[in-house]
Amino acid sequence: MKTNSCDYIVVGSGIAGLYIALLAVKSGSVLVLTKGSIDDCNTRYAQGGIAVAMGRDDSPDLHFKDTVAAGAGLCDAEAVRILTNEAADCIADLIRFGVPFDTLDGEITLTREAAHSVPRIMHAGGDATGEHIELALSRQVRSTSIRVLEHCLASEILVQDGRVTGVRALDGHTGSVEEYSCRFLILATGGVGKLFRYTTNSDVVTGDGIALAFEAGAEITDVEFFQFHPTVLRLPGVAPFLISEAVRGEGGVLRNAEGRRFMADYAAEAELATRDVVARSIVYEMKKTGSDRVFLDVTHLSPRLVTTRFPHIYRFCLDHGVDITRGPIPVAPAAHYLMGGVRVNSWGETNITGLFAAGETACAEVHGANRLASNSLLESIVFGKRVVQRTEMTVSPDRGQPRASDCVHSLPEREPLGSAPALNLLGLQSLMWDKVGIVRCGEGLEEAARILATWQKTLPEPSDRLSYELNNLVLCGRLVTEAALLRKESRGAHFRTDFPQASSEWERHNVFRKDAAD
Ligand SMILES: Cc1cc2nc3c(=O)[nH]c(=O)nc-3n(C[C@H](O)[C@H](O)[C@H](O)COP(=O)(O)OP(=O)(O)OC[C@H]3O[C@@H](n4cnc5c(N)ncnc54)[C@H](O)[C@@H]3O)c2cc1C
């Protein structure tokens, strides 16, 4: 086993990991570990853009209000203030790092997305924002002394006397496990979208950071809140492809399989209602019409607007036989974004000294029960910057315990089922989609919880990337399902038919910790 040592180890090379690495390299030596190639991540698929209050009729205060309204009572107000107040400063960093945001007559162009009161979404290459961000950041990283190890999967967090000492990682080329030591370990491993059968997420997004952090003794919170994107291309034999929120923002309308526009039946904001409302409404319409899809229609918009504003979507659909300027786009919801994750304070710190989390894998409670579109790229940089600032401080700020009202749990022991279905990735994803998906009920959650617990007991020791990922997915599946079972209400993205209303009693967070005594 070789030993390597540096000041910062960043796990993950999406927006959070690369941005943090670029800021941290001014303060010490930096190693980035990433399990695929550098640009294998969700970031590069982001289309819509990144929210920032810089328009004439906008303000950080209005952005704050919209974010908190979408979060359905569970946003941390201080964290949202930080998000909206520090946004412009971090966007300036992205511009400095070379992200070519779209402009018109020398001014950055802003678009509007669902549940934002005003246009405030910056974009690049029309609908290729994430690709441009990933390209610019990785190019910058390569021009510095930052060391990047690709095809290197972090498999265990090393902790001694309550302090992080490093990480173990599987070298994808040699199959050997190596140890890396550091002063600060930053998890930027993204969410857990691969947990569900239909997903917009990249194959690398398997909840590794959450699973590793939980095993190391960190706290995991709000994982019952999983956002399903309402409009993902649904064509036989074609992998799910996101049709950005911005398409509805520009005037796209939803019609059911019979051609009827339906969103006004469910919400006053119609197509611009929050994602959870639109996703559930689509599920109901699909059920009503007996179809596995609805249609997003932009044929009433000018073809020039459609092809210049959404060149990527236009081209992808055309390549698969749908000219969106002439006919409606078949869509259905798919798993998209995890609001919860590794619990951090407003400096990205976990409850383990020296262990930080940022980006989608972290939960600073900015999104509450439902993320506002285009706030996640922003969260990654705002809180990513604070991680680096925190490591440069000499005095420790308050680490922030769970509030007295929050419920801290360990994962419950469950009696293994005598006969559980055989475990494989598709079986796991189908179980999560069917029982822990957009519309949940206690009975289905209970069934899923028992199957997942049985699977967890039978998992073999992982030895390669796929088996590590499957182990991590099963653990994350258990955390999501147990959290959904505990929350006996409906709020934001978490909807239960047996508890269809929000309850004031549940204006609190579920926290899981391995050694919690409950
Ligand atoms: C299709 C799509 C469109 C989106 N559009 C938008 C948008 O318009 N605006 C917006 O704000 N958000 C959008 N999002 C969400 C946003 O893209 C993500 O939340 C954000 O990119 C997450 O960045 P990240 O750096 O945290 O993680 P990611 O970009 O997912 O990167 C995670 C990294 O961690 C690495 N990794 C994971 N596990 C390990 C391990 N064990 N060892 C080593 N490396 C590991 C991965 O290989 C990867 O490099 C979209 C998401 C998707 C899927």
Side-chain angles (χ1 to χ4, degrees), residues 460-514:
E461 268 302 300
S463 56
D464 58 10
R465 175 168 157 185
L466 290 182
S467 54
Y468 275 106
E469 290 180 342
L470 189 62
N471 275 254
N472 293 335
L473 282 168
V474 169
L475 173 52
C476 290
R478 286 206 68 201
L479 290 164
V480 172
T481 307
E482 297 292 352
L485 255 176
L486 284 167
R487 185 169 287 280
K488 293 187 170 46
E489 65 155 359
S490 291
R491 181 184 296 275
H494 168 71
F495 184 81
R496 282 182 63 159
T497 52
D498 47 346
F499 296 98
Q501 303 300 329
S503 148
S504 55
E505 200 193 313
W506 271 103
E507 278 185 15
R508 54 194 164 115
H509 303 264
N510 283 316
V511 179
F512 287 98
R513 201 179 57 229
K514 202 174 179 185

Side-chain angles (χ1 to χ4, degrees), residues 69-92:
L74 284 188
C75 292
D76 180 87
E78 186 206 337
V80 182
R81 280 275 170 231
I82 290 169
L83 179 83
T84 54
N85 286 343
E86 297 182 12
D89 180 45
C90 298
I91 294 286

Side-chain angles (χ1 to χ4, degrees), residues 382-441:
V382 168
F383 290 91
K385 187 165 198 163
R386 290 172 71 85
V387 164
V388 180
Q389 289 168 340
R390 166 67 192 96
T391 64
E392 291 161 346
M393 288 176 189
T394 45
V395 181
S396 299
D398 177 16
R399 196 92 65 76
Q401 301 294 319
R403 297 168 199 83
S405 56
D406 293 346
C407 323
V408 184
H409 306 273
S410 56
L411 265 180
E413 279 297 319
R414 287 186 176 271
E415 194 58 35
L417 288 171
S419 61
L423 169 61
N424 55 43
L425 180 60
L426 183 60
L428 169 65
Q429 292 170 324
S430 301
L431 179 77
M432 293 300 292
W433 181 259
D434 293 341
K435 309 289 180 193
V436 199
I438 301 169
V439 177
R440 303 166 169 172
C441 73

Side-chain angles (χ1 to χ4, degrees), residues 204 217-218 308 510:
V204 293
T308 52
N510 283 316

Side-chain angles (χ1 to χ4, degrees), residues 25 33 103 133 160 184 335 392 395 409 448 472:
V25 74
L33 304 179
T103 55
I133 291 177
Q160 228 170 48
F184 306 110
E392 291 161 346
V395 181
H409 306 273
N472 293 335

